[in-house]
Amino acid sequence: MSPILVVKSTGEQEVFDPSKLIGSLRRAGATAGQAHEIASHIEKELFDGMTTNDIYRHAFDLLRSMPKAAATAAAVKYSMKRAVSELGPKGFPFEKFVAEIFKAKGYEAVTDQMVEGHCVEHEIDVVAWKGNQLAMVEAKFHNEPGLKSDIKVALYIKARFDDLKGRSFIYGGKKRKLTKCFLITNTKFTDHAIRYAECQDLALIGWNYPRKGNLEDLIEESGLHPLTALPSLSEMDKQKLLDSGLVLCRHLNVSEEELVGMGVPRDRIPAIMADIKSVCK
């Protein structure tokens, strides 16, 4: 059988490698048997020009349909990157999600802050503080998984933070000086952006950067799964809940009547409650 070329989210083509699919499924928690069964099934249906997005969706559906209880949790983890990319389209839910991650690490955190710099006022997505630490965060959200934050973004954010350095800000009832600046994205950074940030002491956190402490790691460590990871929620359900200010799976760990009050259709609540029980630890 000749190699099959698939299309990545960036538009580039690459030869389909079943070991990559198996590896991603195993990292998500699928058993070796489940991962190989899914890869074998998908290989039979491949065709030149098939997108990795289509492969992902099909693998997710197959994993979710497997009878073992662990398969649902594994399917959710496998779909986590896409679930985070659904915290949009405007990016405000992603800012709230980032704030929740800081809270899980012991910080107090607020979103959408206007702070005065040496020269001008700046809108900061997330401000977090703990002890003598004061962190300010630019949460760069991308709808498409293939998009990267490049050096222009890093330059712009670094210039904003430079205007804030040395100034005092009142958070948590006392004056605090800025101690750490972050640029956090739900996708990736270009190599140039990483080199510049490392040189300029701008902390970057992306989906798989740095090697330890990246966004995927932080989600797993904190257990803060976005509600968009719940497979039983429709796109309309997700948008309604996000519009109401909810972002976390655990925000839905409430009674059935409270879910109905949030606008969730009653006939789908049993499936949603089952997913919540499986995913929201």
Side-chain angles (χ1 to χ4, degrees), residues 66-277:
M66 289 185 166
K68 291 185 179 180
T72 297
V76 170
K77 185 176 177 183
Y78 181 62
S79 68
M80 193 59 62
K81 186 176 183 181
R82 183 154 299 275
V84 174
S85 75
E86 291 179 350
L87 291 172
K90 296 180 181 179
F92 300 130
F94 182 62
E95 296 170 15
K96 292 180 180 178
F97 185 60
V98 169
E100 292 290 347
I101 289 174
F102 273 90
K103 290 177 183 178
K105 294 177 74 65
Y107 289 80
E108 293 183 70
V110 289
T111 59
D112 194 22
Q113 299 291 291
M114 296 299 298
V115 297
E116 191 67 43
H118 290 285
C119 302
V120 295
E121 197 175 32
H122 300 273
E123 184 176 358
I124 303 298
D125 293 333
V126 181
V127 177
W129 63 95
K130 176 174 67 172
N132 293 323
Q133 301 175 57
L134 178 65
M136 294 194 179
V137 182
E138 174 73 15
K140 190 67 176 176
F141 177 79
H142 295 294
N143 283 308
E144 293 296 327
L147 295 178
K148 296 181 179 181
S149 291
D150 59 20
I151 191 169
K152 293 190 294 294
V153 176
L155 286 165
Y156 167 64
I157 299 308
K158 178 63 168 56
R160 291 182 66 190
F161 286 140
D162 281 348
D163 192 38
L164 299 171
K165 281 188 175 178
R167 292 187 62 82
S168 294
F169 308 91
I170 298 177
Y171 281 99
K174 70 176 186 178
K175 284 188 177 181
R176 304 169 187 271
K177 286 195 173 180
L178 183 60
T179 58
K180 195 73 173 178
C181 304
F182 290 88
L183 171 56
I184 300 179
T185 184
N186 62 309
T187 56
K188 297 179 180 180
F189 299 100
T190 64
D191 291 340
H192 274 76
I194 291 171
R195 285 171 54 194
Y196 174 78
E198 288 176 345
C199 178
Q200 294 292 333
D201 194 31
L202 173 63
L204 300 184
I205 296 177
W207 186 254
N208 60 357
Y209 182 88
R211 176 170 288 185
K212 291 186 178 180
N214 53 55
L215 186 57
E216 184 177 18
D217 290 341
L218 293 176
I219 292 171
E220 285 305 309
E221 289 168 9
S222 64
L224 298 181
H225 297 90
L227 62 85
T228 46
L230 295 174
S232 52
L233 290 175
S234 69
E235 295 303 312
M236 186 177 295
D237 293 337
K238 293 174 184 178
Q239 199 56 57
K240 279 182 182 179
L241 294 168
L242 292 174
D243 288 344
S244 69
L246 303 177
V247 293
L248 298 180
C249 170
R250 71 180 185 187
H251 287 158
L252 303 183
N253 197 13
V254 295
S255 70
E256 294 188 18
E257 289 306 314
E258 285 175 290
L259 284 176
V260 172
M262 293 175 185
V264 177
R266 189 177 292 276
D267 62 341
R268 286 213 310 283
I269 284 182
I272 293 169
M273 294 294 285
D275 280 352
I276 290 171
K277 185 176 180 180

